[in-house]
Amino acid sequence: MAMDTTYDAVIIGAGHNGLTAALLLQRAGLRTVCLEAKRYTGGMASTVELFDGYKFEIAGSVQLPTSMIVSKELGLDTLPQVELEVMSVSIIEEGIEPLIYYTDLGDAAVHMEEKHGIEVMIGMAEMMGWSAAPTRALGRFEAGTLPKSLDEMYACASTDAERASITEMLFGSATDVLDRYLPDKKKHAALRGMLAFLAVNSTYRGPSSPGSAAGLAFGMAVPDENTVLTKKLKGGIGVLTQHLADQYAEAGGEIRLEASVSEIVVADGHVAGVVLDGGERIDAATVVSAVAPDLTLNTLVTDGAVEVGLSTRLDGIDHRGSYVQMHFALDGVPEFVAPYEFLNDPKMQSAIGLFATPEELQRQFEDSKRGIVPETPALAFQIPSASDPDLAPAGKAAASAFALWFPIEEDPSEYARLKAEMGQAVIDRITTFAPNFESLILKHTTFTPKHMGTMFGAPGGDYCHGLIHPDLLGPYRPGPGGYVDQPHNIEGLYLGSAGCYGGPGITFIPGYNAAQAVLADR
């Protein structure tokens, strides 16, 4: 019997955004198929068993704050959570008081005041005030809206001070902001280090680089009451995407794995369907692409269908990821030694930041551009099996680390050496705090941006599909129909990846926005 390959809509990519769009369109009565190049769904929000009995969150690990509307519509509020008493611990070096970020805001405030002083609390409150207008301008938690023009961004400010904070977000550096509100480099060191890392971990900029304040504002953005807050999910982030896949299947949707798209067919300015790598054609008048906007329009779309000026603009998107992500199968739980023995409490192990001062982080960034691996890389370390034991075999532990800065501008022949050197530097840094860490490693793997590019089709290994730079935010991030000032003008094609407005991060908003645009156009 011949396969019926005509659908109302084809969705490319079964990550969280693709599944969101697919589910909403299927529920709205469209006959849809979701095509995934890999052997599993979830994309960069997957929990994968990399080693026997050890499961890891491959890229994303926490669900970021997302719109209440989106959360309710997708049933995200029903998922089992890991109740964390401590969200994170930030450490710089011996002699500097660690910062413990308790989930309970009252406990967090008490710790901050007792251990770091009232001025740290005041400085942090002032920084939150600074980030309020940029948060509104970026539209970080809005669903169903289009990117704002610069004028609309500035219209989000109600005072001169708020206008100034939007200007600083667009043109200033993270260090400028930190120096103003948290000026004591010793007393405020742990908080400064944590915020500097937050500001630059999705950029190719150091904290003193102009434009890095955008990353700080993006990371600090505090949602309003119409938002569901950051969560750690029992079973890892993959539970989230599996939840979407299950709902999609219940609604009658079809997911095809190992179905890599080689062309989005465009004829006379209108989408006609897609062609798979093996040559199979699937007809549809609507295609939603949850892969990066530049990959979609400059590589997948039929040659000649995209106007040259737009194509050139897309070529300019910065995708320089400069990190490594490591996953460790451990023979037991690492033992932290004085003065960090408090980290032996499992509740402290969900997110341990081994950070650097903003000044050191800037120096390491500049060194990495010259091919130098940082000796003591700034990193986020976690032992998720401490709060979610099913992620590792009994008596063992699963741990992961995300570290900056991996040199990416070097001669490709240096790649293997740099990868090994960076991996060892990460292990050495963790071993400084837990001397038995290295001896516990049974197996480990190091993912560089090159791996992320190969595994997930993320250009340059950029999991943001367009870094958090001011020239890639607001009106400079496309909506479902392309840029506000430069639409792609292909009827029936909708963009819905992390590289779109509402991204990056596991917020589901780009996928939601793409689905809403499809339904509005019908």
Side-chain angles (χ1 to χ4, degrees), residues 14-60:
H16 63 284
N17 281 311
L19 288 169
T20 296
L23 171 60
L24 296 177
L25 294 179
Q26 185 70 28
R27 273 193 192 152
L30 279 71
R31 183 169 183 233
T32 65
V33 62
C34 187
L35 305 173
E36 172 53 57
K38 290 194 305 305
R39 286 173 299 171
Y40 57 89
T41 61
M44 287 195 262
S46 307
T47 307
V48 177
E49 189 170 342
L50 289 176
F51 312 114
D52 276 355
Y54 292 88
K55 296 180 188 135
F56 302 90
E57 295 169 313
I58 287 289

Side-chain angles (χ1 to χ4, degrees), residues 194-239:
M194 184 266 277
L195 291 170
F197 189 88
L198 176 75
V200 299
N201 69 22
S202 297
T203 72
Y204 192 62
R205 299 197 170 167
S208 302
S209 309
S212 61
L216 182 63
F218 195 88
M220 285 190 66
V222 173
D224 61 19
E225 68 284 356
N226 299 315
T227 310
V228 179
L229 287 171
T230 303
K231 291 179 179 154
K232 195 86 182 155
L233 295 171
K234 197 163 175 51
I237 200 73
V239 167

Side-chain angles (χ1 to χ4, degrees), residues 328-353:
F328 304 95
L330 301 178
D331 198 14
V333 182
E335 195 172 328
F336 294 88
V337 294
Y340 301 108
E341 63 272 35
F342 71 95
L343 293 174
N344 292 320
D345 184 341
K347 75 180 182 198
M348 296 287 176
Q349 295 174 350
S350 67
I352 301 168

Side-chain angles (χ1 to χ4, degrees), residues 377-498:
L379 59 96
F381 178 60
Q382 53 176 339
I383 310 173
S385 57
S387 52
D388 194 353
D390 292 346
L391 297 176
K396 312 292 185 190
S400 298
F402 174 89
L404 302 174
W405 299 95
F406 179 63
I408 54 168
E409 294 188 34
E410 277 310 284
D411 179 337
S413 67
E414 293 289 287
Y415 171 78
R417 176 185 68 78
L418 291 169
K419 179 187 162 193
E421 193 180 323
M422 181 88 178
Q424 191 57 49
V426 170
I427 291 168
D428 291 346
R429 180 101 204 262
I430 298 166
T431 304
T432 305
F433 297 87
N436 70 336
F437 176 72
E438 186 163 14
S439 67
L440 289 173
I441 300 171
L442 298 173
K443 288 182 177 171
H444 77 283
T445 188
T446 304
F447 293 143
T448 64
K450 188 182 275 191
H451 289 93
M452 291 297 191
T454 305
M455 286 192 299
F456 300 111
D462 165 21
Y463 47 84
C464 299
H465 292 188
L467 299 172
I468 302 179
H469 294 172
D471 53 325
L472 296 172
L473 292 171
Y476 310 114
R477 213 164 183 90
Y483 294 106
V484 172
D485 64 344
Q486 199 173 13
H488 59 60
N489 293 325
I490 298 172
E491 208 176 322
L493 177 62
Y494 300 84
L495 307 177
S497 93

